[in-house]
């Protein structure tokens, strides 16, 4: 057996999900905050595009890096929305989900034993992807006090001779943190000075509640752009998690290496799903369809924050983006895994422990769920916390 693969931990969220399913099968009404996906259906205009493609026989292999029309649409989106200019022929790759783009980015950037800096708390797939690429994650702790943001000084202090990359995820899963353009510029300039690659995961770009425009790090200077892999996708933005379309923009040498990996692992992303993504990125009706979803996320963000803030013993920061909130429950004296298991068993509320995200004092609620679920779930959560305080 391959020892690296053997050491990969299966997603720690699965145990909670399995238990929630088991209880639901017994007829228990679960309030779930576990899912990392929008609760909305994929807009009809996107589904129709895929159906038309299938009917027209678009069911064969495409170019390994995605079909040219979709690469062009992705490049146009990066230019229009993010202010980054990428050559669609050499600097764009479309993959089977943002996850696969990230996986290939680490394969391309890291050699055996090299390090990538991962600010903690982090999305739990980064360390495992880095390990599968033969690399090592070097975690740098951020705190609620600093808005869960990495500073240039922390980045500088964390660098070792074999450090090659830094991962920046904004808005963040699990904390909801979002960097300002000024913060990104400072981090980007520091990374360039240190000779690091930047892996910018902008998957939750559309869900920002600060009132400030979203800034992409690669748009902030040519020198930063030359060292950045910008990852994004359709899953969260268009409620397309099951279609598996993600994409990345990066300098040609990186896209070439990522494409070589993809050509041997997957050939290309699913062809009808590429047609669906093309509609998502180019049809104004798709854009119109996501507006109510974005408004709903903003309203839910306000509401769940207000409800959590009112729970005695819980400390919580207002999420600036994404659809997660990451309250600190350390005061109750339980580890996050035990806390979540008991919350599920005793009050039938499914939340995800913070431990696998790098913070055992916190738990993660996803508010990609109905307002009713938020109201009832938070009432049960408050009762649970009251019972723990005894
Ligand atoms: N990046 C972050 C921070 C995520 O939370 C996710 C999904 O949960 C992804 C990337 C990957 O999304 P997908 O592979 O569905 O495009």
């Amino acid at each position: 057996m391959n020892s690296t693969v053997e050491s990969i931990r299966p997603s720690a969220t699965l145990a909670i999900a399995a238990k929630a399913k088991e209880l639901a099968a017994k007829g228990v009404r679960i309030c779930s905050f576990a899912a990392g996906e929008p609760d909305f259906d994929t807009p009809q205009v996107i589904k129709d595009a895929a159906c038309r493609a299938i009917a027209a026989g678009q069911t064969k292999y495409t170019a390994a890096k995605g079909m040219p029309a979709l690469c062009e649409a992705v490049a146009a989106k990066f230019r229009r929305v993010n202010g980054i200019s990428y050559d669609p022929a050499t600097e764009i790759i479309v993959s089977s989900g943002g996850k696969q783009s990230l996986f290939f980015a680490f394969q391309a950037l890291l050699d055996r034993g090299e390090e990538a800096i991962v600010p903690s708390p982090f999305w739990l797939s980064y360390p495992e992807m880095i390990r599968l690429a033969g690399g090592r994650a070097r975690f740098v702790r951020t705190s609620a006090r600093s808005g869960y943001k990495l500073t240039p000084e922390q980045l500088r202090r964390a660098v070792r001779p074999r450090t090659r990359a830094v991962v920046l995820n904004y808005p963040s899963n699990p904390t909801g943190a979002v960097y300002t353009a000024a913060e990104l510029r400072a981090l980007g300039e520091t990374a360039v000075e240190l000779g690091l690659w930047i892996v910018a995961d902008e998957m939750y770009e559309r869900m920002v509640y600060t009132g400030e425009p979203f800034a992409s790090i690669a748009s902030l200077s040519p020198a930063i752009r030359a060292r950045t892999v910008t990852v994004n996708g359709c899953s969260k933005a268009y409620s397309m998690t099951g279609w598996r379309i993600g994409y990345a923009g990066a300098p040609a040498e990186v896209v070439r290496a990522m494409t070589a990996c993809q050509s041997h692992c997957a050939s290309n992303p699913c062809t009808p799903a590429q047609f669906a993504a093309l509609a998502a990125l180019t049809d104004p009706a798709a854009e119109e369809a996501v507006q109510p979803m974005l408004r709903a996320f903003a309203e839910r963000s306000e509401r769940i924050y207000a409800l959590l803030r009112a729970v005695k013993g819980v400390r919580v920061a207002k999420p600036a983006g994404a659809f997660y909130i990451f309250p600190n429950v350390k005061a109750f004296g339980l580890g996050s895994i035990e806390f979540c298991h008991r919350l599920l068993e005793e009050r039938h509320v499914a939340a995800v422990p913070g431990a696998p995200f790098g913070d055992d004092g916190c738990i993660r609620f996803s508010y990609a769920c109905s307002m009713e679920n938020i109201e009832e779930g938070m009432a049960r959560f408050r009762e649970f916390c009251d019972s723990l305080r005894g």
Side-chain angles (χ1 to χ4, degrees):
M1 282 287 283
N2 176 296
S3 58
T4 306
V5 174
E6 254 191 329
S7 71
I8 295 293
R9 289 172 287 273
S11 169
T13 58
L14 289 183
I16 289 280
K19 195 160 185 181
K21 233 183 223 166
E22 196 184 296
L23 285 168
K26 287 186 193 149
V28 176
R29 216 172 75 69
I30 305 289
C31 284
S32 182
F33 297 89
E37 62 182 349
D39 54 325
F40 302 102
D41 196 3
T42 303
Q44 192 60 41
V45 59
I46 296 172
K47 294 196 217 174
D48 289 345
C51 291
R52 273 200 310 277
I54 293 168
Q58 299 285 4
T59 55
K60 301 293 167 64
Y61 293 133
T62 67
K65 67 195 276 305
M67 53 189 199
L70 182 53
C71 291
E72 270 166 35
V74 169
K77 182 269 174 194
F78 272 131
R79 199 172 322 113
R80 188 179 69 243
V81 178
N82 306 100
I84 319 168
S85 180
Y86 287 120
D87 174 6
T90 60
E91 296 183 313
I92 296 291
I93 179 169
V94 180
S95 304
S96 301
K99 223 174 209 177
Q100 206 171 47
S101 288
L102 286 161
F103 184 89
F104 294 141
F106 292 122
Q107 295 282 332
L109 299 178
L110 298 177
D111 224 332
R112 203 147 285 281
E114 291 182 339
E115 289 186 354
I117 292 171
V118 178
S120 161
F122 48 82
W123 180 46
L124 42 77
S125 289
Y126 299 133
E128 309 299 43
M129 288 179 179
I130 290 165
R131 259 163 9 107
L132 285 168
R136 266 172 45 96
R138 178 172 288 278
F139 301 111
V140 178
R141 192 135 201 94
T142 66
S143 65
R145 224 171 331 113
S146 62
Y148 290 115
K149 295 188 208 184
L150 182 73
T151 65
E153 294 68 40
Q154 284 181 303
L155 178 57
R156 215 179 274 284
R157 273 203 304 274
V159 167
R160 299 291 181 276
R162 305 209 71 192
T163 311
R164 295 290 177 269
V166 56
V167 182
L168 296 175
N169 169 217
Y170 49 91
S172 151
N173 175 7
T175 67
V178 182
Y179 292 93
T180 65
E183 289 163 344
L184 285 176
R185 188 187 301 276
L187 279 170
E189 284 170 357
T190 307
V192 168
E193 188 194 317
L194 296 167
L196 302 181
W197 286 99
I198 301 161
V199 177
D201 181 347
E202 303 184 349
M203 195 58 64
Y204 295 93
E205 165 193 27
R206 301 302 302 273
M207 294 101 192
V208 175
Y209 317 116
T210 56
E212 298 274 313
F214 174 85
S216 282
I217 195 164
S219 73
L220 299 174
S221 84
I224 297 173
R225 179 203 180 280
R227 298 296 292 177
T228 301
V229 182
T230 309
V231 178
N232 209 319
C234 294
S235 292
K236 320 287 174 171
Y238 299 98
S239 209
M240 287 177 67
T241 43
W243 296 79
R244 310 310 304 131
I245 295 289
Y247 53 81
E253 55 176 317
V254 179
V255 166
R256 202 177 310 119
M258 290 171 70
T259 304
C261 290
Q262 177 154 299
S263 71
H264 291 294
C265 295
S267 289
N268 60 265
C270 165
T271 304
Q274 289 191 61
F275 279 89
L278 184 59
L281 293 174
T282 58
D283 194 321
E287 191 50 40
E288 222 169 272
V290 302
Q291 294 308 314
M293 305 183 195
L294 300 180
R295 279 196 296 275
F297 287 131
E299 283 162 17
R300 294 165 182 181
S301 182
E302 286 287 337
R303 187 66 188 143
I304 196 166
Y305 171 64
L307 291 170
L308 277 172
R309 243 181 65 158
V311 181
K312 240 198 198 140
V314 170
R315 282 186 292 127
V316 65
K318 191 166 192 208
F323 42 67
Y324 307 104
I325 191 162
F326 201 55
N328 187 307
V329 294
K330 216 172 170 172
F332 299 102
L334 302 175
S336 64
I337 295 173
E338 190 184 351
F339 188 99
C340 286
H341 274 283
R342 284 190 52 186
L343 177 61
L344 181 58
E345 263 164 23
E346 295 172 28
R347 304 287 161 164
H348 306 144
V349 172
V352 178
F357 296 91
D359 192 338
D360 196 32
C362 293
I363 62 171
R364 190 194 75 172
F365 289 105
S366 159
Y367 48 87
C369 59
S370 71
M371 206 57 121
E372 294 71 45
N373 192 66
I374 290 173
E375 296 290 345
E376 172 152 6
M378 289 303 109
R380 293 186 195 182
F381 176 70
R382 197 183 52 237
E383 288 163 14
F384 177 68
C385 292
D386 288 347
S387 74
L388 287 181
R389 277 205 328 275

